[in-house]
Amino acid sequence: MKTKEGRRWIGTANPVGIPEALGESEAFLEFRERLSRVAPIDRPVLIIGERGTGKELAASRLHFLSKRWQSPLVTLNCAALTPSLIEAELFGYEKGAFTGALERRMGRFESAHSGTLFLDEIGAIPLEVQAKILRVVEYGSFERVGSSSRVEVDVRIVAATNANLSAMAAEGRFKRDLLDRLSFEVLFLPPLRERKGDIMLLAHHFAAKMAFELGRPEVPRFTNEAAAALKSYGWPGNVRELKNVVERAVYRSDSSLVREIVFNPFMSQEPLSEKSAAETKKPLVRIGRKSLKEAVEELEVSLLKEALEEARFNQRKAAGILGLRYHQLRGMLKKHKGKGDMDRF
């Protein structure tokens, strides 16, 4: 393993269970450095990142690099629960507290005593439950649902979200006091599109693991075209999406040389009927007697519309679909403004 000075950091699982992480890009190295620096400090940490960037892996690394590494790491995806269940899941409940509470149950805070509690998608927690979490952060105690007895706990909170908590606090949808308490350090986990140098490193890693799982003796390789497709894609689903795409490509490949990359598995792969096959041979735009310049412009407009509609008008995602940089897409939109119905984009 090389240090930051060697411009590469590859961490793998070790005896204390630090999860695997790969990266050599500047953005990833900077994130890892900040994470390692705050991990031993016994204070809350807030991780900001898009879906699929590895927020739970980052939380695990924070825990295993902390002084609490021998104690429990307990996780809860707050968005996976209804608001009425979150309080009971976090703080537990007494027998008879509500219909179906047949016995006392320990909550996640008690389970994480002396360890770390990772709250993913913390922006989904209702305000009344946020107030109770704030009490735990400030005083280290809470009451189970249906009880007035105080329970003492020692827990480090690591929270994660893709929401703008500052904006939510300004709108009264997130308690400002809790946000202040949770953000002793805020770590911004970079999306994969900002880690271009890591795409093929991760792709080869996932490909090798998939080949091993399939019992194949050779390590997969990517053709230049396949590698170019991986590097130019926008990766809205980040590392999780990359893993799925690469594993699917290796699984579908008949040899160790991966040629085909399928980003959207929902696109029909069935043989085309004679009629539909004939239709696919038609040009995307009817050139007729147009000049080459006019035909190219019409094709560009057509591709722009198609990509924007596929990306639900998210311009960054549309740029990824077209293999463009964001500013290049913006330039093309400006270039074709006023043509057809481009103004609505």
Side-chain angles (χ1 to χ4, degrees):
M1 178 177 71
K2 294 183 181 180
T3 63
K4 184 177 179 183
E5 288 68 29
R7 310 320 305 155
R8 181 166 180 158
W9 185 321
I10 301 181
T12 55
N14 64 23
V16 301
I18 295 178
E20 165 189 282
L22 299 174
E24 60 185 8
S25 63
E26 290 291 336
F28 185 71
L29 290 173
E30 182 180 349
F31 171 80
R32 286 288 297 272
E33 183 175 298
R34 291 188 62 190
L35 183 150
S36 299
R37 183 173 183 177
V38 75
I41 310 301
D42 200 21
R43 294 292 186 278
V45 175
L46 182 60
I47 303 171
I48 308 292
E50 297 177 6
R51 65 182 180 90
T53 49
K55 296 188 289 293
E56 187 166 351
L57 286 177
S60 297
R61 188 167 182 83
L62 274 168
H63 172 73
F64 288 113
L65 289 178
S66 74
K67 300 172 185 177
R68 298 172 178 261
W69 67 271
Q70 291 181 305
S71 298
L73 168 61
V74 177
T75 67
L76 178 65
N77 185 341
C78 304
L81 298 172
T82 62
S84 59
L85 289 177
I86 290 179
E87 182 177 7
E89 194 65 35
L90 282 172
F91 304 107
Y93 52 80
E94 296 290 340
K95 179 180 179 181
F98 48 83
T99 302
L102 303 179
E103 59 184 3
R104 172 188 287 180
R105 181 179 175 184
M106 182 184 298
R108 301 296 175 101
F109 268 103
E110 283 182 87
S111 299
H113 179 63
S114 77
T116 303
L117 176 61
F118 173 53
L119 299 177
D120 198 6
E121 303 297 344
I122 195 170
I125 295 180
L127 283 170
E128 57 271 20
V129 180
Q130 293 177 28
K132 202 165 181 177
I133 294 174
L134 179 59
R135 179 178 177 84
V136 180
V137 175
E138 291 185 333
Y139 304 110
S141 65
F142 63 90
E143 295 84 32
R144 298 189 191 95
V145 176
S147 173
S148 59
S149 300
R150 191 169 62 179
V151 179
E152 304 281 346
V153 289
D154 173 20
V155 174
R156 182 191 193 182
I157 295 178
V158 175
T161 186
N162 187 30
N164 187 334
L165 295 185
S166 295
M168 290 178 65
E171 296 167 2
R173 295 187 292 124
F174 199 90
K175 293 188 72 65
R176 171 61 65 181
D177 288 349
L178 178 59
L179 180 58
D180 291 342
R181 290 286 187 170
L182 295 179
S183 53
F184 172 81
E185 177 63 287
V186 179
L187 300 178
F188 293 91
L189 188 51
L192 191 56
R193 62 180 175 274
E194 295 179 8
R195 299 172 52 189
K196 291 293 186 182
D198 295 338
I199 291 175
M200 292 312 300
L201 174 67
L202 290 163
H204 284 111
H205 170 71
F206 293 138
K209 288 186 67 176
M210 189 61 181
F212 178 79
E213 184 178 334
L214 294 171
R216 297 180 182 177
E218 295 183 69
V219 176
R221 295 171 294 115
F222 296 91
T223 63
N224 291 337
E225 293 78 9
L230 291 172
K231 288 187 282 189
S232 63
Y233 184 60
W235 300 111
N238 292 292
V239 178
R240 184 187 298 132
E241 183 183 12
L242 173 65
K243 182 175 185 291
N244 289 337
V245 167
V246 168
E247 288 181 346
R248 180 166 54 246
V250 172
Y251 154 72
R252 290 182 175 181
S253 178
D254 294 328
S255 70
S256 61
L257 186 62
V258 178
R259 302 176 182 275
E260 183 181 6
I261 303 296
V262 177
F263 295 105
N264 184 1
F266 295 99
M267 292 180 64
S268 175
Q269 301 296 313
E270 298 177 1
L272 299 174
S273 65
E274 290 185 10
K275 180 180 178 181
S276 59
E279 288 175 348
T280 60
K281 294 178 182 178
K282 295 178 181 178
L284 290 174
V285 292
R286 297 186 180 277
I287 297 176
R289 294 183 177 275
K290 297 182 179 73
S291 68
L292 177 61
K293 180 180 179 182
E294 289 172 331
V296 170
E297 287 184 350
E298 189 171 337
L299 176 60
E300 287 182 352
V301 169
S302 176
L303 292 175
L304 282 170
K305 289 180 182 178
E306 182 179 328
L308 285 164
E309 288 171 357
E310 182 180 341
R312 295 185 178 181
F313 307 103
N314 183 311
Q315 293 183 3
R316 292 189 182 279
K317 290 182 181 179
I321 292 171
L322 293 170
L324 300 173
R325 298 179 184 274
Y326 176 65
H327 73 272
Q328 290 175 321
L329 177 77
R330 295 289 299 170
M332 290 186 69
L333 290 174
K334 184 177 180 180
K335 171 185 173 183
H336 296 297
K337 184 177 180 181
K339 296 176 183 177
D341 57 350
M342 285 300 292
D343 286 343
R344 69 190 179 95
F345 300 111

